[in-house]
Every structure is written in C-alpha cells, then in structure tokens.
C-alpha cells in the first residue's frame, strides 16, 4: 500500500504518524473480535480515504465532525481522517440519550454527525449538517461514502493552536462544556507520554478503553500511534478476553475497575508474567489495589493523573518508585502547583490545596464559553483543575479530594447538578441531593436523596424509572433514599458530606 507520509505541515497528524513512517508493513491493529490484523500502511491509507469522504460530505477545515458510535476501526479512521482534513473531532459517549445528544449537537453545530444506524432517525431530527451511519461491524452509509472516495490525501496545514478535538465534559452547572484541544496540546502529550513510559515499536498494547474519552483516545491510541506500536483493539473491557491476550501483549492501560475486576480472576499471575507495563488513571487507584496487584503479579501499576481539559499532567516514574496512592511527578515541560483555593497563594510541601497546571498540554478554553473559561484560569496562565492535593518534598503529587462536586464512577465523570435538576422536575418532589458513595466495582456510585411532598407519593423506583430514558445509564442513581428533609448547615447549604457518611455502605452491602 503506497501511502503518503509527508504530514510535516500538520502537528497532530505528524505526531500520530511519527512511529510508523517507513514501516507500512508493521502491525498497527489487531482487531481480535473480527479476526483481522491491519498494518500501518493500511490504516493510514484508510485514514486518507476517510478524509476524502469527509470533505465530499462538506467538511471544511475548522468544522466539527461528531461521532457517537460503537468502538471500531472505522471510528478510529474517522478520527484520523478528521485530523488530516483539518477539522475538529468531537466524540461522544455511546451511553448518552437523545436528550443529552440534543445539547451536544446544538452546541457544536457539527458539519457531519456519524452515528449508529439505530440512532440515525434521532440524529437527523437534531442535526443541520450531514449524517452518516456506522454499526459496530463497520457497515452503514459511512462505508458507502468511503467506498466512493478517492485514495490519498495531503494533510491540511494547521497551526499549533488550531483546534484538533472538542471533548465534552460535564459541568457544575449541569450543562456539558466542550473542552477545546489543539494540535499542539495533543501532539505534545502523545510525544511526552510515549517517551516517559518507554513505548517502542516492539510494544503491543491491550486497548480495551472506549475511544470517546481522553484515556482511550489521547493516551492509549495517540501514544501507540506516536510510538509505532501495535494495539490489540477490543470493542470493550472483558477480563477473560484480556487474560487470554496478555501472553502476546506487553502493556495495558485502564481505569481502576479494570484492575479490581482482573484481580478477582484466576490465572492472572501466569497471564501477566511477560507484560512490561500496566498504567492506571481517570479515577483514584486505591493504595490497597496497587499493593494487591503487586502481590498477585509482581508488577507495580504505574498511576498517572489527567483530565479532559489537559490530557495528562503527572505520572509515576517508569524507573524509580511508583508510590501507591500518589499520581507521581509533573510530566516534562508541565508545571504543577498547589494553591490556597481562596487566595490563590502557592502552598508549601505537603500542604493541601487546589491543584493547578500550566503547560503545552493545557486546553485553550471551553467552546463558546469565554466567561467560564476565564473563571478557571489564573492570570499567569495556570488552569484550576478543581482537584485537591499535595506535593511532597520529593515532588510526588497526591490527590486527596475534589473541590468540584464531582462523582467518578468506573472512570466516568458525573456531575450531581444535572441529575438533581431532572429529579426536582418530577411531580411530587420538593428537592433532591445527588452524591457519590463507595461502590465495590466502580469505585464510586451515584445515590440520590429525595424529599417528597406532604402526600409522600414519591417512590424511589418511580424516580429511577422516570430517569431511565433521560440519562446515560452510568449516571442513573444506583440507590434512591426518600427523606423528610436534607441535612443543612447553619448557612442553609446542603451537607453532602453528611449524606455521604450516612449512606456510605448503601451500595456495598
Ligand atoms: C457501566 N455501568 C456503569 C458504569 N459502566 N455504572 C456506573 N459507572 C460506570 N462506569 C452500568 C451499566 O450500564 C450496567 O447497568 C451496569 O452498570 C453494569 O454494567 P457492566 O456490564 O458491569 O459494565 P461494563 O460494560 O463492564 O463497563 C464497566 C467499565 C466501563 C468500567 C468497563 O464503565 C468503562 O469502560 N469505563 C472506562 C471509562 C473511561 O474510559 N474513562 C476515561 C475518562 S477520561 P444495568 O442497569 O444495565 O445493569 C479521563 C481523563 C483521564 O477521565 O485522566 O483519563
Ligand atoms: P475527566 O473530566 O473525565 O477528564 O476527569 C478528570 C478527573 O478525573 C480529574 O480532574 C480527577 O478528578 C480525576 N482523575 C484522573 N486521574 C486520576 C487519578 N489517577 N487519581 C485520582 N483522580 C483522577
């Protein structure tokens, strides 16, 4: 396959091709579920053809290409094609319902939406641009458009600060914000991480994360493409499949739930014997899970810390101590500081404060939300992450909590405000408070405390049923408690800490 490899004008495309230039025959993707392998030449030829197909649909540089479809090589090719075409890739969680989708389409105004055939009618009712479909097996109108497209595509030149992706992240107001990530943000992070974690062409990464969030797309996929290593590209996480594949892999990246589920399986020690690296992130990895993994496998998990707005900020070292319960050091060229959340004054070693970050990885702002953007940056360019933590004398960052009212369940972020808004609108409900409590599988799970009107007509099951087609499943409360009143402090503010303590065991029993 004769593909063009001159992507020099385009930062992210160049970073993603860096490891495979001149190695078109090397293995890029093992599509285990389809029994197919693809070399780099084939994948990038596909990407170029997809870029032509996008342009034929009317996608111009700077336009948004939105995707809500099951993980597949075709979705990966839409990502690469979008980058080549100089447009912005906007992936969405497949769990989002039509109600949630409406906000994303209205806000991003995509020139093209690629969706599952089952969602086509809904998307056509919302979108003003083109719509194409792709099913998990690759069939759909996208495949037809690609079949009509020409081969070969010269990457559209982009400046370092041009938009490459918009990733939606839920917000404290209940309205999702689009984080604008540039070519330089993503290219620099991919290069830094592949070096820091010593990815080489000989690696084989087990890729079982979704590719609609930072972890699966910007970390796992971008790092592998940058390093030129193969990925075993799985549609979803399944512990038994992963155990069977480990003997021919070298590395895996996952959220803590991956590790706790794998720990419960027999045969982990033998399967993982030849692995080189296990990376965890997106949610806190308990020190006890870190230690249990070391005891079971002999490998120390490498924990790192990032977010949608910044890609990766810190990492435990490759060589040296991977300290359980910490997220390691600021990555090269990235500055981390801890400040007093009220005054913004920098704090000393081991003092708890707000974590702030500055560096080439930090996004340029929220899509069409300049005021919200301004609120979250300091005058000297540091981004206020909303996480609380410390930095030790020897530079290890520890996350101790969050100043933002956020629940992280199985690596997915959930903002209570959105759920409270929907519950409060239900008949018979006076008010509600949504909070996270420990969950044995997902780390945290969602619980709703609801105050019913005087007739006491509100039932937990009815609330859960009413939310079922309004909210993505992972956001739906796993328990609902009906109360006479919410606990409040003297200022009248709801005390979620009291609720969290009172119902700490409700999902673990
Ligand atoms: C699934 N369910 C969840 C859930 N995932 N509920 C809460 N939280 C979750 N994360 C629901 C299902 O809908 C189902 O509901 C029930 O729980 C059981 O589902 P399951 O079959 O056990 O779930 P599974 O499909 O195996 O998914 C679990 C998982 C998945 C952990 C593999 O959630 C996952 O891939 N998480 C990764 C998220 C991720 O990539 N985060 C990165 C964000 S980027 P029911 O009612 O049908 O029983 C980021 C930045 C950074 O944060 O630093 O990386
Ligand atoms: P998201 O907005 O989905 O990108 O999630 C980002 C948030 O996930 C961060 O602000 C942290 O609160 C959390 N996070 C990511 N990695 C870690 C980690 N290793 N430990 C604890 N929290 C983490």
């Amino acid at each position: 396959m004769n593909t063009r490899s001159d992507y020099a004008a385009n930062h992210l495309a160049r970073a993603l091709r860096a490891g495979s230039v001149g190695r078109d025959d090397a293995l890029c993707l093992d599509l285990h579920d389809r029994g197919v392998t693809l070399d780099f030449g084939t994948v990038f030829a596909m990407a170029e053809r997809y870029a032509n197909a996008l342009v034929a649909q009317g996608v111009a540089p700077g336009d948004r290409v939105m995707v809500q479809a099951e993980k597949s090589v075709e979705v990966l090719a839409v990502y690469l094609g979008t980058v080549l075409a100089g447009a912005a890739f906007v992936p969405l969680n497949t769990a989002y319902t039509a109600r949630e989708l409406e906000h994303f389409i209205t806000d991003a105004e995509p020139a093209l939406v690629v969706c599952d055939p089952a969602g086509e009618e809904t998307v056509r009712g919302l979108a003003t641009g083109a719509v194409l479909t792709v099913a998990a097996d690759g069939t759909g109108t996208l495949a037809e458009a690609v079949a009509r497209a020409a081969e070969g595509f010269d990457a559209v030149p982009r400046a370092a600060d041009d938009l490459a992706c918009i990733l939606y992240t839920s917000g404290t107001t209940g309205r999702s914000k689009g984080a604008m990530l540039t070519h330089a943000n993503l290219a620099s992070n991919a290069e830094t991480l592949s070096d820091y974690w010593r990815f080489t062409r000989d690696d084989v990464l087990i890729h079982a994360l979704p590719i609609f969030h930072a972890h699966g797309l910007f970390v796992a996929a971008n790092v592998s493409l940058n390093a030129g290593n193969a990925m075993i590209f799985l549609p979803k996480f399944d512990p038994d499949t992963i155990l069977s594949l480990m003997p021919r892999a070298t590395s895996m990246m996952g959220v803590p739930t991956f590790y706790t589920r794998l720990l419960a399986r027999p045969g982990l020690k033998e399967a993982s014997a030849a692995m080189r690296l296990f990376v965890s992130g997106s949610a806190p990895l308990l020190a006890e899970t870190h230690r249990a993994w070391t005891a079971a496998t002999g490998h120390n998990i490498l924990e790192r810390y990032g977010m949608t707005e910044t890609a990766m900020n810190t990492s435990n070292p490759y060589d040296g101590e991977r300290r359980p319960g910490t997220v390691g050091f600021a990555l090269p060229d990235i500055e981390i500081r801890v400040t007093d959340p009220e005054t913004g004054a920098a704090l000393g070693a081991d003092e708890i404060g707000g974590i702030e970050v500055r560096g080439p990885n930090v996004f340029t702002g929220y899509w069409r939300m300049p005021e919200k953007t301004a609120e979250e940056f300091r005058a000297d360019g540091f981004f206020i992450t909303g996480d609380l933590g410390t930095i030790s004398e020897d530079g290890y960052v520890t996350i101790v909590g969050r100043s933002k009212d956020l629940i992280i369940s199985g690596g997915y972020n959930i903002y209570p405000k959105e759920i409270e808004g929907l519950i409060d609108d239900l008949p018979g409900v006076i008010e509600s408070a949504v909070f996270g409590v420990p969950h044995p599988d997902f780390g945290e799970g969602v619980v709703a405390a609801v105050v019913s009107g005087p007739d006491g007509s509100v039932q937990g099951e009815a609330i859960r049923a009413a939310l079922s087609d309004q909210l993505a499943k992972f956001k739906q409360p796993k328990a609902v408690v009906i109360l006479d009143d919410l606990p409040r402090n003297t200022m009248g503010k709801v005390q979620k800490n009291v609720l969290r303590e009172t119902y700490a065991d409700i999902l673990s029993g």
Side-chain angles (χ1 to χ4, degrees), residues 169 281-284 303-308 327 387 399 402 404 408 413:
T169 166
S282 308
E303 186 174 6
R304 75 355 172 235
Y305 157 59
M307 56 195 303
T308 302
V327 293
D387 292 309
I399 299 174
R402 302 166 205 139
K404 51 194 178 192
I408 304 184
N413 280 13

Side-chain angles (χ1 to χ4, degrees), residues 93 95 167 208-219 235-239 254-258 261 280-283 304-313 408-414 439 441-446 464 472-476 478:
N93 195 319
L167 239 61
L209 288 157
I211 52 170
F212 45 67
H213 281 315
H215 199 163
L217 190 63
F218 301 154
V219 189
K236 65 173 295 220
F237 174 80
D238 172 64
V255 296
T257 302
F258 282 24
R261 287 188 183 180
S280 176
S282 308
R304 75 355 172 235
Y305 157 59
M307 56 195 303
T308 302
E309 289 91 333
T310 62
M312 298 304 106
N313 297 317
I408 304 184
S409 181
Y412 287 139
N413 280 13
I414 301 159
H439 186 286
D441 187 26
F442 295 127
E444 280 184 303
V446 176
R464 280 158 58 97
K473 253 193 173 155
F474 66 88
K475 297 183 195 167
Q476 292 175 21
K478 299 213 184 281

